């Protein structure tokens, strides 16, 4: 049987001088431990054992290995997997250290009726000094984004948004699909937010709303492909995501998923259904307080879904003061740019309450104020007193 240390080692040491042999007192040369450990065969054997051990540990603990995203830390070019989404907690950050040009508030416009609403959203962001960029996706046939001499009313509004409110204009092809409800046929255009890959993160908000406070802190949330609040008015019976506000990490991968889901969706599936089909169980859940308050909440009698508890009293002023995004959703009350008869207003406005023997009409005053404020701002921002119909 060949010696363990191999022929190369014995050949080297077999040529030792006789004097060395005599000095050892023996004709049989015996290698030292250090010589054995440095032999080639020992090194090969140790390497093989180490490799086997490495792969055993690798496959035995594959689920504990860090992902590429976690090794890089924070945001990575590739959207993290759903398992990597952390709870929606705003980390401590310094405004001055954030490159806000990597983030944007986005709006989509499908027709001239909604163009004014979008410009109003950007006017609010400008007035409130929101730090992130502002991007409007609008029908490519409305105007060249570099237009300097607008003629149509739509073109003038687009130029106003660009020049006065710092909005970046992105012409797009409106995404339209016929379905059971013509109202939402073009709402798929909203999903183009997933394709704004020039940004690290975008916050898309519906334009039938009022922004009450900046929401820049959402951009610094832990990484996740999509973050949305729940439709709290349906919770807990239905755990549905609300697409009125979507925090998105644009990527080719996610946009491709969105487009494929659109192609296979049914006649009654629109933007909200599509995002729920894809992200219902994986999206980061944003708190609806303060990011998604419905105007209809002020008309209701039971506020447990919004408050999240039956132990808290609904304080209209406190709720309004904490809210950052107020969505006009008041069925059967029409949207605020559509004429509402005085009879409907009086019939549907919140009821006054009796508190400590006195009449309290705070909720009613706030609710009426929402609609009055919207009408006044629409006239001022869009320079028109005409209310358009949906």
């Amino acid at each position: 049987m060949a010696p363990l240390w191999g022929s190369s080692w014995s050949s080297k040491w077999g040529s030792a001088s006789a004097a060395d042999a005599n000095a050892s007192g023996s004709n049989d040369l015996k290698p030292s431990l250090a010589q054995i450990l440095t032999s080639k065969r020992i090194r090969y054997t140790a390497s093989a054992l180490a490799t086997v051990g490495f792969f055993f540990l690798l496959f035995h603990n594959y689920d504990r290995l860090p992902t590429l995203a976690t090794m890089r830390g924070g945001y990575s070019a590739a959207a993290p997997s759903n398992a990597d989404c952390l709870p929606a907690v705003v980390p401590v950050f310094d405004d001055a250290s954030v490159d806000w040009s990597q983030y944007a508030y986005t709006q989509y416009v499908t027709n001239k009726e909604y163009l004014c609403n979008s410009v109003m959203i950007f006017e609010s962001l400008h007035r409130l000094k929101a730090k992130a960029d502002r991007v409007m996706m609008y029908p490519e046939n409305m105007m060249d984004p570099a237009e300097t001499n607008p003629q149509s009313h739509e073109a003038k509004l687009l130029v106003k948004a660009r020049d006065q409110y710092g909005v970046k204009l992105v012409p797009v092809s409106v995404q339209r699909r016929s379905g059971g409800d013509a109202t939402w046929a073009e709402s798929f255009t909203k999903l183009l937010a997933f394709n704004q890959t020039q940004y690290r993160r975008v916050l898309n908000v519906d334009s039938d709303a009022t922004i009450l406070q900046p929401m820049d802190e959402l951009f610094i949330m832990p990484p996740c492909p999509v973050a949305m609040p729940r439709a709290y008015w349906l919770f807990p019976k239905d755990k549905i995501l609300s697409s009125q506000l979507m925090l998105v990490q644009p990527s080719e991968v996610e946009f491709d998923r969105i487009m494929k889901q659109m192609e296979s969706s049914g006649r009654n599936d629109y933007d909200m259904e599509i995002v729920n089909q894809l992200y219902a169980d994986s999206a980061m859940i944003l708190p609806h307080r303060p990011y998604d308050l419905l105007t209809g909440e002020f008309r209701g009698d039971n506020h447990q879904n919004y408050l999240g508890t039956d132990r808290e009293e609904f304080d209209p002023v406190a709720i309004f003061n904490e809210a950052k995004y107020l969505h006009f959703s008041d069925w059967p009350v029409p949207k605020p740019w559509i004429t509402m008869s005085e009879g409907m207003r009086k019939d549907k406005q919140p009821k006054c309450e009796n508190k400590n023997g006195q009449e309290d009409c705070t909720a009613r005053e706030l609710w009426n104020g929402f609609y009055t404020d919207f009408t006044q701002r629409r006239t001022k921002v869009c320079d028109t007193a005409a209310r358009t119909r949906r």
Side-chain angles (χ1 to χ4, degrees):
M1 179 173 170
L4 180 63
W5 44 89
S7 56
S8 59
W9 186 90
S10 52
S11 214
K12 174 182 178 182
W13 287 92
S15 59
S17 66
D20 290 334
N22 292 334
S24 67
S26 172
N27 291 328
D28 297 321
L29 292 173
K30 295 182 179 181
S32 67
L33 179 61
Q35 293 164 347
I36 293 176
L37 293 177
T38 55
S39 69
K40 286 187 177 180
R41 181 166 293 186
I42 288 293
R43 292 201 305 271
Y44 292 158
T45 302
S47 297
L49 291 173
T51 301
V52 171
F54 170 79
F55 280 102
F56 172 80
L57 291 174
L58 178 67
F59 289 106
H60 185 67
N61 297 285
Y62 71 95
D63 57 333
R64 302 178 187 176
L65 294 175
T67 63
L68 182 59
T70 57
M71 288 190 290
R72 287 176 175 173
Y75 171 81
S76 65
S81 67
N82 297 335
D84 292 331
C85 294
L86 300 174
V89 177
V90 181
V92 177
F93 67 96
D94 177 15
D95 284 358
S97 66
V98 178
D99 182 2
W100 293 106
S101 66
Q102 298 183 65
Y103 309 109
Y105 293 90
T106 59
Q107 282 279 289
Y108 78 102
V109 172
T110 57
N111 53 52
K112 61 182 180 181
E113 286 78 14
Y114 277 84
L115 173 60
C116 177
N117 294 351
S118 183
V119 177
M120 290 172 66
I121 290 289
F122 288 124
E123 183 278 332
S124 295
L125 290 169
H126 174 76
R127 174 168 38 85
L128 295 169
K129 296 180 171 55
K131 299 177 180 65
D133 279 1
R134 297 147 209 167
V135 173
M136 181 193 292
M137 300 173 287
Y138 71 98
E140 55 193 351
N141 58 359
M142 266 192 184
M143 189 193 77
D144 185 303
E147 178 65 64
T148 57
N149 186 29
Q151 299 298 315
S152 69
H153 180 65
E154 293 76 26
K156 290 177 181 179
L157 279 179
L158 287 168
V159 169
K160 182 176 185 178
R162 182 192 68 195
D163 296 349
Q164 291 191 32
Y165 307 139
V167 177
K168 296 183 178 181
L169 302 179
V170 178
V172 299
S173 176
V174 173
Q175 303 298 302
R176 180 181 178 84
R177 291 179 67 251
S178 59
D181 190 338
T183 301
W184 312 113
E186 296 178 339
S187 65
F188 297 98
T189 309
K190 176 193 303 187
L191 303 177
L192 293 178
F194 286 82
N195 197 36
Q196 302 307 304
T197 53
Q198 69 272 31
Y199 290 100
R200 192 166 157 179
R201 217 167 199 173
V202 301
L203 180 63
N204 194 88
V205 294
D206 283 358
S207 63
D208 52 345
T210 294
I211 291 184
L212 302 172
Q213 299 181 56
M215 296 177 281
D216 292 321
E217 69 278 2
L218 289 178
F219 295 110
I220 316 299
M221 287 283 191
C224 189
V226 180
M228 285 180 276
R230 295 253 186 231
Y232 72 86
W233 54 96
L234 301 175
F235 190 84
K237 181 180 179 181
D238 296 312
K239 297 181 180 180
I240 296 175
L241 299 171
S242 169
S243 61
Q244 296 163 3
L245 184 147
M246 299 191 306
L247 183 65
V248 174
Q249 285 179 188
S251 73
E252 293 181 3
V253 172
E254 294 302 318
F255 183 61
D256 182 62
R257 292 184 68 204
I258 287 286
M259 296 303 291
K260 288 180 178 176
Q261 191 67 34
M262 283 175 55
E263 294 169 0
S264 62
S265 61
R267 280 179 54 81
N268 294 314
D269 291 340
Y270 300 98
D271 61 288
M272 190 165 176
E273 286 75 23
I274 287 174
V275 295
N276 273 277
Q277 289 162 6
L278 289 176
Y279 305 110
D281 298 322
S282 62
M284 177 190 292
I285 306 301
L286 299 177
H288 60 267
R289 295 180 67 178
Y291 298 112
D292 194 8
L293 172 62
L294 302 189
T295 52
E297 190 64 35
F298 292 82
R299 292 200 299 121
D301 297 321
N302 186 344
H303 304 285
Q304 185 174 337
N305 281 7
Y306 183 78
L307 298 175
T309 176
D310 59 357
R311 302 295 181 91
E312 181 181 352
E313 181 181 359
F314 184 76
D315 182 340
V317 174
I319 294 300
F320 171 71
N321 286 337
E322 78 177 14
K324 297 196 172 188
Y325 178 74
L326 179 68
H327 189 257
F328 285 94
S329 183
D330 254 318
W331 179 258
V333 176
K335 295 295 186 180
W337 60 92
I338 300 175
T339 301
M340 174 169 49
S341 69
E342 191 61 25
M344 173 172 278
R345 178 187 287 267
K346 289 182 178 180
D347 182 54
K348 300 301 180 183
Q349 65 184 353
K351 299 175 182 177
C352 295
E353 298 180 345
N354 189 302
K355 290 186 177 181
N356 301 321
Q358 294 184 343
E359 188 178 54
D360 184 350
C361 297
T362 304
R364 172 181 291 185
E365 293 169 359
L366 284 170
W367 184 86
N368 279 295
F370 302 152
Y371 286 86
T372 300
D373 170 73
F374 189 96
T375 301
Q376 292 175 347
R377 287 189 299 110
R378 185 176 177 87
T379 300
K380 180 180 179 181
V381 173
C382 301
D383 193 27
T384 175
R387 295 191 182 97
T388 56
R389 293 190 175 273
R390 201 169 189 172

